[in-house]
Amino acid sequence: MGFLSRALSGRGCLQLLATAQKSVLLSLTAALLLCACGQTATEDTSSASSVTGADVPAEEAAAETRQPAESDGLEGVYYNDYLRMTLTLDGTGCCALNGGGTEASGTYERSAAGDTLTLRFDTRLETAAIDADGDICIEGRSGYFLRDWTFWGITWEEVSAVSSLPTATASAAGVSLGNGTVRYRDYENAVAFTCPESYSVLTGQLTGAVAVSDGAGGYVTGRNVTSLYFSSDHSDDELLEDYVKTFVFADFNLLYGGILSFDSFTLLHEEIEGRLAAATLNLVCASDGESVAVQIILYTSTYADGTVNYICKTVFVPASRADGAEQLAAAVTDMGAVRLSRETE
């Protein structure tokens, strides 16, 4: 009852156990920062093809107009076990409140002193206080939204069971293409893609990756693995196997709330230009036993100056869905590298 004790009075007893998947995510963060930072990223000069899984053109944007917002250090998912709700902050002024019958996205502002927040959800305004431990208390709502999940023994399974993941907010750098699709460019994670306007882009949920939800249990993730690729001495197939064991499993834990089992792992050799490796497998949800079909592809994305990046695209679709992974993969297309380029004199 440590969480509730903290929610109502003080820190209470320590919860020192952390889940395996949470540990994996923390251990991966340092490595993935190499993929997301150092991207010196011209107005879009590439005409993205409709090819999914082959070499797709990479994009650049001028630093003066595409400089990503500086984080305020608050990004993360905060969990209130008393109310069974999550508060998600993206670090650049957008937020989401989920659980307890509430699903709201909005914006937030941090006070000059740094110890209070103003949260705006449509016409509703809420205020919150940040304590010395980084936990957040929203005025009028019982308990604390806890930040240090390891300290309190909070698991993703617990959170996923009571709260849906937040959807896209104003922080999503999406530009309508006028044909029912949106071009999204995530400069922090160095990945760009096109998806239907009806889909939701999940922000700040996966380590070093972008994620898209079709709203019907299907997800597509994209990760720029260039730094990992160049630091590995494995073959392309071996690298993809390692990627599945670490990143795909960890992403599935966050999106579906834990893995019960997996089977039918198959490496594919499709002889598609630009595609270096591909695989399929089935993962079973720990929460409801539902089987999810997974497709993973590793391919190249090349800038106009010849610089090659490497992208891993993963598609998750419940095995019971008739449309399957191929249709979702085709809906989220043109997934390639993106960067900001510095002006040269």
Side-chain angles (χ1 to χ4, degrees):
M1 299 299 288
F3 308 157
L4 296 180
S5 177
R6 162 59 171 164
L8 298 178
S9 57
R11 276 286 179 193
C13 61
L14 301 182
Q15 301 280 345
L16 297 179
L17 292 178
T19 62
Q21 60 266 33
K22 186 67 174 178
S23 299
V24 169
L25 287 173
L26 292 174
S27 68
L28 294 174
T29 302
L32 281 170
L33 286 175
L34 296 175
C35 301
C37 68
Q39 301 291 336
T40 57
T42 44
E43 188 67 14
D44 182 4
T45 58
S46 63
S47 56
S49 71
S50 61
V51 178
T52 59
D55 188 329
V56 298
E59 297 183 41
E60 298 179 310
E64 285 74 16
T65 59
R66 290 291 187 180
Q67 197 66 257
E70 182 178 352
S71 171
D72 58 19
L74 295 178
E75 64 270 16
V77 181
Y78 300 74
Y79 180 57
N80 185 324
D81 73 311
Y82 184 73
L83 297 177
R84 296 185 175 272
M85 299 181 71
T86 59
L87 172 65
T88 303
L89 306 179
D90 72 350
T92 59
C94 293
C95 60
L97 192 63
N98 297 85
T102 297
E103 290 192 16
S105 296
T107 61
Y108 72 92
E109 293 180 3
R110 191 175 188 178
S111 66
D115 57 353
T116 60
L117 297 175
T118 300
L119 309 170
R120 293 181 175 85
F121 302 102
D122 294 325
T123 59
R124 190 174 78 255
L125 189 69
E126 300 192 38
T127 58
I130 308 173
D131 70 7
D133 297 307
D135 299 329
I136 296 175
C137 180
I138 299 179
E139 184 177 345
R141 297 182 183 271
S142 300
Y144 280 76
F145 289 81
L146 305 172
R147 181 170 193 172
D148 191 343
W149 289 24
T150 300
F151 184 90
W152 292 106
I154 299 171
T155 67
W156 279 107
E157 288 90 345
E158 177 185 357
V159 176
S160 298
V162 300
S163 174
S164 59
L165 289 171
T167 57
T169 65
S171 65
V175 177
S176 176
L177 302 181
N179 59 355
T181 63
V182 173
R183 186 66 179 164
Y184 178 84
R185 299 170 176 90
D186 186 329
Y187 295 104
E188 181 178 356
N189 293 312
V191 179
F193 59 90
T194 299
C195 68
E197 291 179 341
S198 59
Y199 284 17
S200 297
V201 178
L202 307 182
T203 58
Q205 298 306 302
L206 304 183
T207 304
V210 297
V212 187
S213 168
D214 67 357
Y219 297 92
V220 178
T221 67
R223 186 175 274 109
N224 190 317
V225 296
T226 303
S227 295
L228 297 179
Y229 188 88
F230 283 122
S231 65
S232 173
D233 58 0
H234 291 170
S235 69
D236 293 337
D237 283 353
E238 290 171 333
L239 188 147
L240 192 65
E241 287 187 57
D242 290 341
Y243 183 86
V244 169
K245 294 173 184 176
T246 53
F247 297 100
V248 173
F249 283 6
D251 292 347
F252 187 90
N253 281 335
L254 299 181
L255 296 172
Y256 290 93
I259 299 173
L260 180 63
S261 63
F262 73 95
D263 57 45
S264 303
F265 178 77
T266 305
L267 285 168
L268 307 175
H269 301 93
E270 302 167 299
E271 302 298 329
I272 297 176
E273 183 180 359
R275 184 177 297 188
L276 306 179
T280 60
L281 73 153
N282 291 321
L283 293 172
V284 180
C285 301
S287 59
D288 57 13
E290 182 174 18
S291 180
V292 176
V294 185
Q295 290 186 358
I296 313 100
I297 51 177
L298 169 66
Y299 55 96
T300 56
S301 180
T302 306
Y303 291 103
D305 63 3
T307 301
V308 179
N309 273 210
Y310 297 84
I311 305 295
C312 270
K313 177 181 178 181
T314 305
V315 179
F316 303 86
V317 172
S320 59
R321 278 179 47 175
D323 54 4
E326 294 293 344
Q327 183 171 331
L328 181 55
V332 182
T333 187
D334 305 332
M335 184 173 281
V338 65
R339 68 183 180 183
L340 296 173
S341 64
R342 302 183 188 281
E343 293 295 320
T344 57
E345 298 180 356

